[in-house]
Every structure is written in structure tokens, then in C-alpha cells.
Amino acid sequence: MSEGSRGSSLAFGQVVIGPPGSGKTTYCHAMHTFLSQLGRSVAVVNLDPANEALPCPCALDIAELVTLPDVMDSLGLGPNGGLIYCMEYLEANADWLRDRLQALRGHYILFDCPGQVELYTHHGALKNVFAQLAKWNFRLAAVHLVDSHYCTDPGKFISVLCTSLSTMLHVELPHVNILSKMDLIEQYGKLAFNLDYYTEVLDLSYLVDHLASDPFFRNFRRLNEKLVEVIEDYSLVSFVPLNVQDKQSMRQVMQAVDKANGYSFGDQEHRSLEALMSAAVGADFHFSSTLAVQEKYVQSQDKAVEEEVMDL
């Protein structure tokens, strides 16, 4: 039996990627709860061999195949080398993953992936695993989480844009970039521009000018200009803000991902006019999402200013 015929029905899901601490496991848990409340049959698959503190039970755990501590102990590798070995081992044992996923057919799958950045920017093992999943009729979208606190530092935000672009080009999946932990952004400091500037990735020359006001970055202005040119030439990177505590925010992320992987137009989605329209007009809900979060952020900033004035 061929690889494609072993699972002829389509299966939909998300591969949740991003740097360490960006909230991938928290997102998987929150999205699992949210989609389950909507009536979807959802399963979480843990592909992170270093993830030992899972907030909810997983339908499938890579720890059954390989764990990072075992690899580090037996091969004398550090955490980075160990993670790469684990992903190469998973790629070499793709039959194990395929057989385990057969039991989850009919479920919407959330793949919780490791947090090592180079796995998504230039190393091939995990990319090849995603390609295998596509051959097995999985229709996936890559959900790339980035901590929203990077917006408060222009230099770090340019770095995030470069990493996000590199990830999009390397992973080769429909892609949704997420600014996570938006409920905590006011704790990180004041933004130099309105929030929609960061989510829509508008004219980045303003960001370069803002960086030039810093004596350290002034010496690297030409480098920053060239990096910004690369990002703008591709014109691929934008972000959806996310607060996992806000159901409306979760709904907007869900709609963006459903549009990316085609779930809204599949045989598992009721083809109501509302469902089709919400998937088609992505710009509208993206704008309303940014506006809602921005209003909350501005209100918190105004409140802080009022308190400072009262203290004076």
C-alpha cells in the first residue's frame, strides 16, 4: 500500500513553531480547549523531545520514540545538538509517526514543535517531516509565535522580522505569524508606533530612523537599511495579535489559520455564508483584532500617565 493511499481522507491541523518561551505549549492547550468548545475533534501531538511539563495530556508524544535527556546522556551532546539529533531521528523513523497518526484520523491536529530556531531557518529534518505529513494528506498551516515584547525594541523587532521571513521561506507551508502574550505587552514598555504598525509591518524606514537616534545603532544604519529592504522586497511578513485569555482574539487567530490551511472550505466545515465570508475577508477581522488590542494598550498607557500625574 502506498504512502498516499494509507490515509486517503484529508486531515487538517497546525504545526506550532517559534523560539523558546514564545508560548507554543500554552497556545496548543488554549487552542485545543477553544476548538473543542466549538465542536471540533482536536488532538495535540507533542513533537518536542525536551517538553516535559505538558499542561494537558497529549494524544501522541514523541517521548515514546526519543527524549532529549536520553540523547544527551548516551551521545554526550548538548541541548542544541541533542534536539537536532532528535529531529533527524524522527525523520528517519517517519513510519512510527505515520502509524501513530492513523489512530487520530478524523481529528484536527495541533503539532507542538521544538523551540530551536535553526530547525525552522536552515536545518532540513523538521521541514522534511512536514513534507511527509503533506504526502499523508495532512493540510497544515505553520503557526509561528513571537513574543510581543520584541515590539518595544526596534532592533529586536527587525531581528524578529528577519527570522520570521527566513522561517516562512524555509518551512514552505501556509504561514500565520502570531504576536503572542498581547495581554502583557503594556508591562514591556511604551511602543514607538501604533500597534498596527507592527502587525501590518508598515513602512520600516521609520523604524530605521528611530534606531538611528540610538548612538549604538547609528553606526549600523546602512546594515539596518539593507535588512529592511530585504524584508520589504519579499512583502510576506505580517502578524496577528493574540491574547489566549480573550475568546475573540482566539477566534480571529482560528479564522486566519483556517483560511491558510483550507479548513473552512473542506468537507469538515459547514459551508454557511458566515463561515465562507469570515474566511474570505481576512483583512477585516485582522484590522478589528489589531484595533481592539491597540485600544486596550492605549487605555493602559493613559491610565499609567494619569497615575503619574496624580502622584505629582
Side-chain angles (χ1 to χ4, degrees):
M1 187 178 295
S2 66
E3 285 187 349
S5 62
R6 289 193 62 171
S8 57
S9 62
L10 289 178
F12 292 87
Q14 308 174 21
V15 291
V16 184
I17 62 179
S22 58
K24 297 183 296 297
T25 300
T26 301
Y27 170 86
C28 288
H29 177 55
M31 187 58 71
H32 176 276
T33 301
F34 182 76
L35 294 178
S36 297
Q37 291 173 346
L38 295 180
R40 292 193 196 181
S41 297
V42 187
V44 176
V45 173
N46 177 43
L47 293 184
D48 185 358
N51 200 347
E52 299 177 345
L54 299 172
C56 61
C58 291
L60 175 60
D61 192 344
I62 193 176
E64 300 174 16
L65 177 70
V66 63
T67 66
L68 181 59
D70 289 344
V71 168
M72 292 172 63
D73 291 342
S74 59
L75 299 180
L77 295 173
N80 290 338
L83 268 175
I84 289 176
Y85 178 89
C86 289
M87 292 301 101
E88 292 175 344
Y89 191 78
L90 175 63
E91 179 188 4
N93 291 273
D95 289 345
W96 172 87
L97 181 62
R98 180 184 58 194
D99 293 341
R100 296 299 190 279
L101 288 174
Q102 286 298 316
L104 300 178
R105 282 291 174 175
H107 287 74
Y108 187 95
I109 310 294
L110 300 172
F111 293 92
D112 187 0
C113 299
Q116 193 171 352
V117 175
E118 52 263 46
L119 291 172
Y120 314 114
T121 56
H122 58 273
H123 194 267
L126 205 52
K127 171 186 174 181
N128 294 336
V129 171
F130 297 157
Q132 282 293 331
L133 289 168
K135 291 180 181 178
W136 302 332
N137 286 328
F138 280 88
R139 298 297 177 261
L140 303 173
V143 178
H144 183 219
L145 271 64
V146 175
D147 198 316
S148 61
H149 86 267
Y150 290 116
C151 294
T152 61
D153 187 320
K156 290 181 180 179
F157 186 66
I158 289 179
S159 177
V160 162
L161 292 174
C162 292
T163 303
S164 298
L165 177 59
S166 179
T167 300
M168 295 176 75
L169 296 175
H170 182 72
V171 172
E172 296 181 347
L173 284 175
H175 212 91
V176 179
N177 291 305
I178 304 291
L179 283 177
S180 63
K181 307 179 185 178
M182 289 303 302
D183 53 319
L184 303 176
I185 190 171
E186 64 268 15
Q187 299 180 14
Y188 300 134
K190 186 174 178 59
L191 298 180
F193 306 99
N194 289 337
L195 187 61
D196 60 348
Y197 178 88
Y198 300 92
T199 57
E200 300 296 338
V201 189
L202 302 175
D203 189 350
L204 294 177
S205 62
Y206 293 105
L207 204 61
V208 175
D209 292 338
H210 187 75
L211 275 173
S213 63
D214 187 318
F216 175 80
F217 287 105
R218 188 179 301 139
N219 297 326
F220 301 97
R221 181 184 180 99
R222 185 164 176 77
L223 173 62
N224 290 325
E225 288 175 345
K226 293 302 180 182
L227 289 174
V228 163
E229 285 179 12
V230 171
I231 296 165
E232 291 184 331
D233 285 346
Y234 277 97
S235 191
L236 290 175
V237 184
S238 62
F239 296 93
V240 180
L242 172 65
N243 172 9
V244 296
Q245 307 297 330
D246 184 355
K247 288 186 178 181
Q248 180 64 16
S249 178
M250 292 291 292
R251 174 178 176 269
Q252 288 155 351
V253 170
M254 177 198 72
Q255 288 176 313
V257 177
D258 283 354
K259 179 184 177 183
N261 65 14
Y263 181 90
S264 292
F265 307 99
D267 55 4
Q268 299 181 45
E269 182 81 0
H270 294 295
R271 298 195 174 195
S272 66
L273 178 62
E274 181 181 359
L276 291 175
M277 289 303 294
S278 65
V281 291
D284 290 341
F285 73 73
H286 190 111
F287 174 77
S288 63
S289 168
T290 302
L291 186 62
V293 176
Q294 182 170 314
E295 286 177 349
K296 293 179 181 179
Y297 177 79
V298 170
Q299 289 171 2
S300 65
Q301 290 291 321
D302 291 342
K303 184 178 179 181
V305 172
E306 290 175 1
E307 290 176 352
E308 290 179 3
V309 172
M310 292 297 293
D311 290 340
L312 294 176

